[in-house]
Amino acid sequence: MASATSSKDTASPAVIPTVIPAVQADSPPRTDAALTEMWPGKAYPLGSTYDGSGSNFAVFSEAAESVELCLFSPDGAGGLVETRLPLPEVDGFVWHGFVPGVEPGQRYGYRVYGPNDPAAGQRCNPNKLLLDPYAKAIDGTFRWDQSLFGYNFGNPDSLNDDDSAASMPKSVVINPFFDWGTDRPPQHEYADSIIYEAHVKGLTATHPDIPERSRGTYAAIAHPAIIEHLKGLGITAIELMPVHHFANDSTLIEKGLSNYWGYNTIGFFAPDSKYCASSTPGGQVQEFKAMVRALHEANIEVILDVVYNHTAEGNHLGPTLSMRGIDNAAYYRLVDDDKRYYMDYTGTGNSLNVGHPHSLQLIMDSLRYWVTEMHVDGFRFDLASTLAREFYDVDKLSTFFELVQQDPTVSQVKLIAEPWDVGPGGYQVGNFPPQWTEWNGKYRDTVRDFWRGEDESLGEFASRLTGSADLYENTARRPVASINFVTAHDGFTLRDLVSYNEKHNAANGENNNDGENNNQSWNCGVEGPTDDPEILELRAQQQRNFITTNLLSQGVPMICHGDELGRTQGGNNNGYCQDNEITWIDWGKADHGLIEFTRSVAELRAAHPVFRRRRFFDGLPVRRRGSVHIPDISWFTPDGSEMSDEDWDSGFGKSVTVYLNGHGIPDLDPRGRRVTDDSFVMCFNAHHEPICFTLPPEEFGKAWQPVIYTVEGAVMEGSRPVAAGAKLTVEARAVIVLQAAEQA
């Protein structure tokens, strides 16, 4: 075992200018290498803060004995000069100082002097340059070599003192000023929302109408071509996969791959520079803000997929990049009986220590920053159950949830939980506090099973279609707590869901062992690409079935980017490492017919509040003057009789009719008036043969006008209404939606 402390003297020198190799091609405004002036500054806010005359720097570390601020400026010969300045003050374990004349664009980092005793949970090492946990921007990339690691390869118990500055990206002082103009958050109600899950690069990398230099960037998301596409689909919120600055894993780089999804965060305040069209250090902040402003002008909200359950520093064999070297025991949850190791609930190597006040502060400060300064409208929390593990089991009353509940800023934006992890009792769907919504994985699984014709799925299908009251009603939540989706980034695309039975992940370099094995998919008869017209027709119909079901279910629908135009990943259901044509939308092969179909269903949802109820159905008769009292919802067998318990329990039931009463909506509009709508009938046939449906009797409606039919070539415009009680043949594996009409 190596010495518990660094071999370097723990006393920090006054000023140390050193020359290191250049690691960035472009340069920020030059900092005077002779700069030595340091004022006490302030302990808050944490991070770097430019005030017009200079910059304040503040960093938390209870473990530190001293902290150096390291400023980097070009030396004029292709290298960088590092100037080290000791932070002169510490208040409440926050080390701070103010440097006059430091302007936006200045690169910086920290060196922390303190104990290096992994067995006690301490891993300070001043030879490792550290990113600011509160950095608003990060410039450069990691050069994975020995210097980034606190131990010598092959000997985890050793101490490595190689200087890491040349291999590290740098934190950047940003310009906090931005002209937001008249920007206002759209503040769409959940019930009126359609969420579009998208990847900044994947959505825009090949779009022909976007200038080539802007493709794959925040600026591309703000381009009129993308905004018009989203508006055409009725999208009210774009949910961006992680844009917090993340590290590209060395193991992937060695394989010629990269971290595409971004679930490897190292900067919770910093939009990733990889998605920035500008080459100016810190320019990504301005570009991100401009994107948000443009989307808000189009009445589209911005939701961020955030990863607070772990960081890119990984397990005990991971690199020392930031929090590990600043205060390992404060920021990370360690194994109680051996603090060399990290608690890992998600398979990612570590977990943030949500039981420590400063770690919690980091999370909450970050969330507030993105709302107040970056104007985002909500968050989707990756593996959110981890944040509730204050002790061991998931706790709905954990400190994190209490802080969110009490916070006047964070509590007012959209909060979406991914409700599963790999820890004890990891699957937590339905168990989050009342103000949260959740990715409803049970909805996904049930709808997939229903449309591939699985037995005994009818009853649960009905529950999912109507908002999953079994999951959310007992916690005083409403149907909008359910974020309904059939596909997401993690898994098959919609096109692949109907084209593959098995995953095809060979390109990931893991011998097809990665990714989910049980996809609840069906290839419609042939695995992968085919020229068989019948199979192609069935696949197209199944996609329309999924889109119709999702958009017309109670709750909040979410579309995975490209599903509306037939995006394929060639059967790869784990594209996390494929930053290439496998995962990017190929706009040149867009299925325009599917786009138009998706638009038509989205328009139907937007026009009719019966599909956007704010309360669960109760099945009770609705009082209407001069008419028979009809329930707000009714279920019928294909022969027209009301569903019995025996019908629901039938293992072979694959077809059902549902009646939605437009006069049974218990909601009020913004001015307090009762909401009424047309009534609708939906006939679902997941059977492999056509079925003759008998429409509900006349007391439910005199006639019914077909408005959506998922069969190829179905033309709704100009079709004649069908009388009550009439027989209607619905083709195999299809759904038809009918709207109440005055007469046949």
Side-chain angles (χ1 to χ4, degrees):
M1 179 74 182
S3 169
T5 58
S6 169
S7 60
K8 303 294 185 183
D9 191 342
T10 57
S12 66
V15 179
I16 304 179
T18 56
V19 178
I20 63 173
V23 291
Q24 292 88 12
D26 52 287
S27 301
R30 183 182 177 103
T31 300
D32 186 357
L35 181 65
T36 61
E37 191 174 10
M38 172 77 79
W39 301 350
K42 297 180 179 179
Y44 192 84
L46 292 163
S48 61
T49 307
Y50 174 68
D51 69 356
S53 65
S55 298
N56 191 80
F57 297 88
V59 60
F60 162 79
S61 177
E62 190 173 353
E65 296 165 4
S66 62
V67 178
E68 288 174 343
L69 170 67
C70 306
L71 302 177
F72 295 88
S73 58
D75 65 353
L80 292 175
V81 175
E82 177 185 359
T83 303
R84 303 186 191 178
L85 302 172
L87 292 177
E89 296 286 335
V90 56
D91 295 303
F93 305 115
V94 175
W95 301 78
H96 57 91
F98 182 91
V99 187
V102 167
E103 298 182 345
Q106 173 67 58
R107 299 181 179 101
Y108 73 98
Y110 293 113
R111 296 181 185 272
V112 174
Y113 294 78
N116 190 295
D117 184 2
Q122 300 294 353
R123 296 179 179 268
C124 298
N125 187 340
N127 298 294
K128 309 303 177 185
L129 182 75
L130 304 172
L131 291 170
D132 184 355
Y134 278 71
K136 307 302 191 303
I138 296 171
D139 185 58
T141 58
F142 295 98
R143 190 175 71 196
W144 296 106
D145 58 28
Q146 175 66 79
S147 70
L148 296 183
F149 295 79
Y151 65 94
N152 297 309
F153 294 154
N155 185 5
D157 293 330
S158 62
L159 180 67
N160 179 275
D161 279 336
D162 295 347
D163 194 293
S164 68
S167 300
M168 282 286 294
K170 312 297 186 292
S171 307
V172 181
V173 178
I174 69 155
N175 180 359
F177 308 110
F178 182 78
D179 183 8
W180 283 104
T182 58
D183 182 72
R184 295 180 63 187
Q187 292 187 325
H188 295 295
E189 296 288 338
Y190 274 117
D192 301 326
S193 298
I194 299 179
I195 298 172
Y196 191 81
E197 188 199 28
H199 188 283
V200 172
K201 188 172 184 180
L203 177 61
T204 63
T206 73
H207 201 294
D209 296 336
I210 299 174
E212 192 168 346
R213 71 176 298 273
S214 295
R215 294 174 188 172
T217 69
Y218 307 120
I221 296 288
H223 193 276
I226 297 298
I227 289 178
E228 288 168 12
H229 178 73
L230 296 176
K231 287 184 70 68
L233 295 171
I235 301 301
T236 65
I238 185 169
E239 181 181 299
L240 295 176
M241 290 182 66
V243 299
H244 285 173
H245 197 99
F246 62 90
N248 193 6
D249 314 65
S250 60
T251 53
L252 294 177
I253 295 174
E254 291 167 1
K255 296 179 181 178
L257 303 170
S258 63
N259 189 313
Y260 172 65
W261 285 351
Y263 293 96
N264 203 30
T265 305
I266 197 61
F268 293 112
F269 292 77
D272 202 300
S273 57
K274 290 185 282 292
Y275 305 135
C276 180
S278 169
S279 60
T280 304
Q284 61 264 44
V285 178
Q286 304 293 320
E287 189 173 318
F288 184 93
K289 289 178 177 178
M291 175 196 73
V292 173
R293 184 179 61 192
L295 288 165
H296 282 181
E297 287 174 357
N299 204 28
I300 297 172
E301 295 178 311
V302 180
I303 297 173
L304 298 188
D305 188 342
V306 292
V307 190
Y308 290 106
N309 52 73
H310 71 282
T311 77
E313 292 188 292
N315 63 14
H316 63 289
L317 299 177
T320 299
L321 310 176
S322 180
M323 289 173 274
R324 188 195 305 275
I326 293 173
D327 195 331
N328 186 60
Y331 282 113
Y332 292 114
R333 186 154 182 192
L334 308 177
V335 176
D336 289 336
D337 56 358
D338 194 342
K339 296 186 182 299
R340 289 176 298 179
Y341 303 109
Y342 296 78
M343 294 297 294
D344 180 12
Y345 295 114
T346 62
T348 53
N350 62 53
S351 301
L352 280 179
N353 185 7
V354 291
H356 191 283
H358 280 88
S359 183
L360 272 173
Q361 182 185 2
L362 171 75
I363 296 172
M364 297 305 298
D365 284 352
S366 170
L367 293 171
R368 279 190 292 270
Y369 172 79
W370 284 99
V371 176
T372 59
E373 297 298 320
M374 308 295 268
H375 287 208
V376 305
D377 305 282
F379 306 95
R380 178 265 189 189
F381 291 79
D382 180 62
L383 303 174
S385 302
T386 305
L387 298 171
R389 295 187 186 276
E390 192 166 346
F391 299 103
Y392 192 66
D393 295 326
V394 175
D395 183 2
K396 286 192 288 187
L397 302 177
S398 70
T399 304
F400 171 71
F401 289 136
E402 289 180 355
L403 287 175
V404 169
Q405 181 79 31
Q406 297 167 14
D407 190 280
T409 299
V410 180
S411 64
Q412 299 306 302
V413 300
K414 289 182 168 64
L415 301 170
I416 305 171
E418 182 189 34
W420 50 87
D421 65 23
V422 297
Y427 195 52
Q428 296 294 319
V429 65
N431 291 334
F432 280 77
Q435 73 184 134
W436 287 69
T437 63
E438 303 174 20
W439 270 24
N440 190 346
K442 289 190 175 182
Y443 178 95
R444 172 200 61 196
D445 296 345
T446 300
V447 172
R448 288 186 178 192
D449 278 345
F450 178 78
W451 282 117
R452 67 182 180 139
E454 288 293 290
D455 294 336
E456 301 181 7
S457 60
L458 190 59
E460 189 164 1
F461 175 76
S463 176
R464 304 297 159 238
L465 187 73
T466 55
S468 297
D470 58 322
L471 298 177
Y472 305 113
E473 193 170 24
N474 63 350
T475 54
R477 286 187 283 177
R478 295 181 175 179
V480 295
S482 180
I483 306 297
N484 298 329
F485 67 104
V486 178
T487 59
H489 69 271
D490 192 0
F492 281 144
T493 67
L494 185 60
R495 174 66 60 85
D496 289 354
L497 186 69
V498 301
S499 303
Y500 295 91
N501 286 349
E502 309 295 334
K503 63 185 182 182
H504 296 266
N505 297 353
N508 296 356
E510 299 180 46
N511 297 317
N512 207 40
N513 291 319
D514 62 303
E516 179 61 54
N517 292 315
N518 181 19
N519 297 286
Q520 296 164 295
S521 60
W522 179 45
N523 63 20
C524 298
V526 174
E527 187 75 357
T530 181
D531 295 326
D532 188 316
E534 291 186 6
I535 291 177
L536 291 174
E537 184 177 327
L538 177 56
R539 288 177 177 177
Q541 189 163 306
Q542 285 285 68
Q543 290 173 83
R544 293 191 289 270
N545 289 336
F546 283 122
I547 288 169
T548 302
T549 304
N550 189 20
L551 288 176
L552 300 185
S553 294
Q554 305 296 321
V556 182
M558 183 183 79
I559 300 171
C560 181
H561 80 186
D563 279 355
E564 76 282 6
L565 48 77
R567 181 175 75 94
T568 177
Q569 293 182 170
N572 191 319
N573 73 349
N574 193 29
Y576 78 102
C577 58
Q578 300 295 337
D579 184 9
N580 51 47
E581 290 80 2
I582 291 176
T583 53
W584 302 342
I585 289 179
D586 187 346
W587 288 93
K589 295 181 179 178
D591 183 340
H592 294 284
L594 187 58
I595 293 174
E596 289 304 316
F597 179 85
T598 306
R599 287 174 177 170
S600 65
V601 183
E603 288 171 359
L604 184 69
R605 176 185 179 87
H608 293 283
V610 75
F611 299 113
R612 299 180 280 109
R613 291 170 55 102
R614 287 154 169 81
R615 290 173 172 81
F616 291 107
F617 294 98
D618 57 25
L620 299 176
V622 176
R623 295 181 179 273
R624 282 182 67 192
R625 186 176 297 174
S627 68
V628 179
H629 296 168
I630 302 297
D632 58 358
I633 187 170
S634 291
W635 302 89
F636 301 89
T637 64
D639 66 10
S641 59
E642 294 200 43
M643 292 282 289
S644 65
D645 291 343
E646 290 76 17
D647 294 323
W648 287 117
D649 294 336
S650 170
F652 301 100
K654 295 180 176 64
S655 304
V656 68
T657 297
V658 57
Y659 163 82
L660 305 179
N661 190 342
H663 291 269
I665 305 172
D667 303 328
L668 302 177
D669 71 10
R671 297 194 175 186
R673 297 169 298 188
R674 185 176 168 218
V675 174
T676 59
D677 192 14
D678 295 330
S679 297
F680 284 83
V681 164
M682 295 188 285
C683 302
F684 293 90
N685 180 21
H687 192 51
H688 64 271
E689 293 179 343
I691 288 182
C692 182
F693 283 77
T694 300
L695 295 178
E698 190 171 346
E699 60 261 32
F700 289 86
K702 295 179 180 179
W704 299 98
Q705 173 68 52
V707 289
I708 299 289
Y709 193 19
T710 58
V711 172
E712 182 88 27
V715 178
M716 298 294 102
E717 292 186 12
S719 60
R720 302 178 68 175
V722 183
K727 297 186 183 301
L728 188 68
T729 298
V730 179
E731 294 297 324
R733 299 188 175 94
V735 55
I736 188 168
V737 182
L738 304 104
Q739 183 176 354
E742 286 301 318
Q743 58 184 11

